[in-house]
Amino acid sequence: MKQKFSKNGLFITIVVSVILILTFVTNCVPPSQKSAEEELVAKKARRDSLRKANYHKCEFAMSNANQYKLQGQWQKSIDNYNKVINSGCTEDFARNLFKDMAHCYNKLGKNDSVIWAINEALIYRPTDTYFLKLIAYYHEREGNLNAVVKDYEKINTLFPGNIEYMFKLADYYFKTGKYTEEINLLEKILSIDPGNKKADLAIIAAYEANGIDPIERYKTAYMKDKSNVQNGYRYGKALFDATNYDQAINVLSESKNYNPNNRSIIELLCKSYDYKGMIDKSLSVYQELANKYPNDSKTLIKVTELNLNISNFKEALKFANRA
C-alpha cells in the first residue's frame, strides 16, 4: 500500500512540477510589441470610436454654445465648446468650433485665448486662409508686427506666387524696417508681373526709407513706362537734384511729349533749362503752355518774367496785360 501511494505521489508531484514550469515559462515570454505606426492606428481607432459614440452629444453642445453666443453669454458658450473638445469631437467641428471660440474670447477681451483658439484651428486646418489671416490680424492688433511678418511668410510659403499675399508681406517688411527683404520680394513680384507699377513705386519707397539713392530704380520704372507722368517726374527730379541737368532735360522733354499739359513736368523742365542758362528754351515751353491756356494767369505771369529777364519788354507787356 505504501509503495502504491509512493508511486501515485510521485506521479502527482511530476504533473504539478510540469504545470508550474509551463506557467513560469509562459509568464516570462514578453508580450508582442506594436510598432509606432500600429500604435498610431490603434490610437486613431480609439479616437474615432469615441467620436462616433459622442457625436450626437457634441452636436447638442455645439447647438447650446451657438444659442448662448446669440444671447451674448460668452463664457457659457465657451464652456459648451470645451465639452465638444473634451468629448473628442474637435476634428468634426474644428472650423466653426474654433472660429466661434475665438469670437467669444474676443468679446471677453482675452486676446491670448483668441490666439490659442486660432492656433488650435490651424492644427486641424493648416491651409485655411481665414485662420491664417485672422491670427495675423490679432497679432497686429496687439502690436506684434514681427509675429505678423512670420504669419504672412507662412501664408506665402503655402501659396507661392500669390501677388496679393506677397504685397501684404512686403508691406509688413516695410513696417518692420526689413527693407532688403521687402525689395527682394518686390523684385519677385516684378518677375511675375513686369508691368506692376505698385511694386515699382514700393521699391523706390524702400530705397528712400533705407537711405539709398533710388535713381536707378526711378530710371527702371521710367524706361518701363515713359507715358506715366509720375515715373517721368520722379526720374527727372532725381536727375535735377543730382545736378545732371542735361539728362534731366532729356527725360522731362520726353515725358512732356506724353503729358503735354502737366504743369509739374513743364515747370521742372523749364527750371532745368534755367540752371543750364537756356532761358530761351524755358520761355518757349512756357509760351507754348500760355497759348494752350490763354486765361491761365500763373503761366502768363511766368512768361512775362522770362521776357523781362531777356529785356524783351514788348512781349513782357503783352503777356502782362493778358494776365
Side-chain angles (χ1 to χ4, degrees):
M1 186 77 177
K2 244 177 185 184
Q3 190 176 4
K4 185 177 179 183
F5 175 79
S6 177
K7 285 182 179 179
N8 288 340
L10 180 61
F11 176 75
I12 291 168
T13 302
I14 292 170
V15 170
V16 170
S17 298
V18 169
I19 292 171
L20 288 173
I21 291 168
L22 288 172
T23 303
F24 177 77
V25 170
T26 303
N27 287 336
C28 287
V29 175
S32 60
Q33 297 293 317
K34 291 182 179 178
S35 67
E37 187 176 344
E38 287 172 332
E39 280 293 335
L40 287 174
V41 170
K43 283 182 181 179
K44 186 177 186 308
R46 289 193 295 270
R47 192 168 62 245
D48 290 343
S49 177
L50 182 64
R51 283 166 56 198
K52 287 177 183 177
N54 292 334
Y55 187 82
H56 293 300
K57 186 169 73 173
C58 292
E59 276 190 318
F60 184 70
M62 284 292 291
S63 178
N64 280 345
N66 290 334
Q67 288 301 314
Y68 282 126
K69 184 162 67 75
L70 291 172
Q71 296 166 18
Q73 298 189 55
W74 313 116
Q75 188 56 56
K76 286 186 176 180
S77 187
I78 290 168
D79 292 342
N80 275 274
Y81 290 133
N82 278 323
K83 286 180 183 178
V84 176
I85 295 171
N86 295 332
S87 297
C89 302
T90 307
E91 191 172 342
D92 294 303
F93 301 95
R95 194 174 203 278
N96 290 334
L97 171 66
F98 290 115
K99 176 183 175 184
D100 292 337
M101 279 191 94
H103 175 77
C104 293
Y105 279 128
N106 177 54
K107 288 294 185 180
L108 292 172
K110 297 181 177 181
N111 206 60
D112 288 345
S113 296
V114 172
I115 291 173
W116 169 83
I118 300 169
N119 277 322
E120 286 295 305
L122 287 169
I123 292 172
Y124 295 92
R125 305 178 65 86
T127 61
D128 191 318
T129 54
Y130 173 82
F131 291 110
L132 290 167
K133 292 178 183 178
L134 190 63
I135 198 165
Y137 167 79
Y138 278 102
H139 279 146
E140 182 168 18
R141 201 169 81 165
E142 67 180 11
N144 192 349
L145 292 184
N146 286 322
V148 180
V149 166
K150 290 180 180 177
D151 294 333
Y152 272 99
E153 284 177 338
K154 181 179 179 181
I155 291 173
N156 276 272
T157 300
L158 290 169
F159 304 98
N162 184 304
I163 289 179
E164 177 190 347
Y165 297 149
M166 293 171 83
F167 268 122
K168 275 284 188 181
L169 178 55
D171 183 44
Y172 288 109
Y173 277 147
F174 184 84
K175 289 177 180 177
T176 52
K178 297 178 178 180
Y179 305 118
T180 301
E181 290 89 339
E182 181 195 8
I183 290 167
N184 291 337
L185 185 56
L186 291 166
E187 292 286 5
K188 286 183 182 178
I189 292 175
L190 288 170
S191 70
I192 298 169
D193 180 13
N196 195 301
K197 295 175 184 176
K198 182 180 176 182
D200 270 324
L201 294 176
I203 289 176
I204 290 167
Y207 273 112
E208 290 177 338
N210 206 22
I212 300 171
D213 183 2
I215 195 164
E216 286 303 314
R217 191 68 232 173
Y218 290 134
K219 180 180 179 180
T220 300
Y222 175 70
M223 296 303 290
K224 284 181 180 178
D225 184 5
K226 294 183 177 182
S227 65
N228 183 286
V229 64
Q230 192 173 31
N231 290 348
Y233 182 79
R234 279 176 178 267
Y235 184 34
K237 180 71 164 58
L239 291 166
F240 179 88
D241 291 341
T243 67
N244 190 347
Y245 304 121
D246 289 326
Q247 188 59 24
I249 287 168
N250 291 336
V251 170
L252 293 165
S253 296
E254 194 171 31
S255 186
K256 174 180 166 291
N257 292 335
Y258 289 105
N259 306 279
N261 303 321
N262 185 276
R263 184 177 293 278
S264 296
I265 293 288
I266 289 171
E267 287 181 348
L268 188 56
L269 174 59
C270 291
K271 196 173 180 180
S272 300
Y273 280 135
D274 289 343
Y275 272 71
K276 284 291 292 181
M278 302 166 69
I279 296 176
D280 56 331
K281 289 280 190 182
S282 179
L283 178 58
S284 175
V285 174
Y286 268 115
Q287 281 182 330
E288 182 184 336
L289 189 63
N291 290 332
K292 286 183 179 179
Y293 299 99
N295 298 319
D296 183 354
S297 59
K298 185 177 179 180
T299 301
L300 295 171
I301 290 169
K302 185 65 180 177
V303 173
T304 301
E305 290 174 351
L306 290 170
N307 275 299
L308 287 172
N309 288 340
I310 58 174
S311 302
N312 194 345
F313 302 116
K314 186 177 179 180
E315 284 295 308
L317 182 61
K318 184 173 73 174
F319 281 96
N321 288 333
R322 286 172 56 186

